[in-house]
Amino acid sequence: MIEKLLESIPKTNPFGEKVTLVAAVKLQTPENINRAIKAGITDIGDNHVQEFKDKFDLIEGNPRRHFIGHLQTNKIKYLVGKVDLYHSVDRLPLAEALSARSEMAGVTSDILLQINIGDEETKGGFSYGDAGDAYRRTKALPALRIKGLMAMLPLSSDEETLSALARKMRGLYESLMDENFEYLSMGMSGDYELCINAGSNLIRLGTAIFGERNYEKGK
Ligand SMILES: *Cc1c(COP(=O)(O)O)cnc(C)c1O
């Protein structure tokens, strides 16, 4: 099943950029995650610091580690030096704290700025209008490297609207792009195809890989 999915995902987007798949592993057991890695998953992304910590030593195959969930500043210390890419830098105090902690640890952390492209109250992220300012202020921090942008599209079945938002994100990505930019992280199980078509090159899939999540069994 994972092999089929991996085969079905386009290798490149219309801009000729390689498309990378991150498995969103929230609520999955280490056994499930390790099975997915054996089947070809190279990158995994956690939402919860506690789960990340609990599972860290149980994951086999040395995948690239992403953090994709909302991050509280007082939990940063558990992640620094262990995460290859932070997708969800969604506010300046978080960027500042992550830079400070990274500096203390002697590392540079790779991050994406999260943009609330649908302007949704329920979602974090910088507004489209604040993105330029957020980029400049974050860029000035010593121990972070901005590798691009991340967005979550609204839940909607209106593909036209979603595609327009995804293209707007690609436009923002290109307008801010500098020599460090590499990733536009956009696309989940329900919308990844249209996101890739609009120019995403990093997709985060949970359900498409593992099936429906069981929130009752999880923690
Ligand atoms: C859970 C999650 C995903 C994956 O969602 P699916 O719809 O299951 O593919 C992607 N990104 C983030 C930030 C998530 O929390």
Side-chain angles (χ1 to χ4, degrees), residues 95-115:
E96 288 161 359
L98 184 55
S99 179
R101 273 279 168 188
S102 299
E103 207 174 8
M104 277 165 60
V107 299
T108 298
S109 292
D110 285 343
I111 66 145
L112 305 178
L113 295 173
Q114 183 176 345
I115 309 297

Side-chain angles (χ1 to χ4, degrees), residues 132-146:
D133 188 56
Y135 166 80
R136 279 183 294 278
R137 286 167 185 258
T138 306
K139 178 111 173 139
L141 297 171
L144 300 185
R145 196 184 293 121
I146 308 175

Side-chain angles (χ1 to χ4, degrees), residues 144-192:
L144 300 185
R145 196 184 293 121
I146 308 175
K147 300 291 286 183
L149 305 179
M150 181 269 220
M152 270 187 275
L153 298 183
L155 262 186
S156 163
S157 51
D158 181 356
E159 298 227 340
E160 279 303 309
T161 305
L162 293 178
S163 289
L165 283 175
R167 285 194 298 271
K168 190 174 169 187
M169 262 315 291
R170 178 71 201 196
L172 182 63
Y173 177 76
E174 290 186 6
S175 75
L176 296 176
M177 185 179 282
D178 65 27
E179 70 283 358
N180 289 327
F181 269 40
E182 202 174 334
Y183 300 118
L184 176 56
S185 170
M186 179 170 69
M188 316 199 338
S189 295
D191 61 14
Y192 71 90

Side-chain angles (χ1 to χ4, degrees), residues 24 26 47 68 150 152 188-190 204-208 213:
K26 56 176 176 272
N47 281 74
I68 62 176
M150 181 269 220
M152 270 187 275
M188 316 199 338
S189 295
R204 311 172 310 268
L205 305 186
T207 312
R213 281 180 288 279

Side-chain angles (χ1 to χ4, degrees), residues 191-203:
D191 61 14
Y192 71 90
E193 284 159 322
L194 70 87
C195 285
I196 292 172
N197 278 332
S200 167
N201 57 29
L202 190 53
I203 57 174

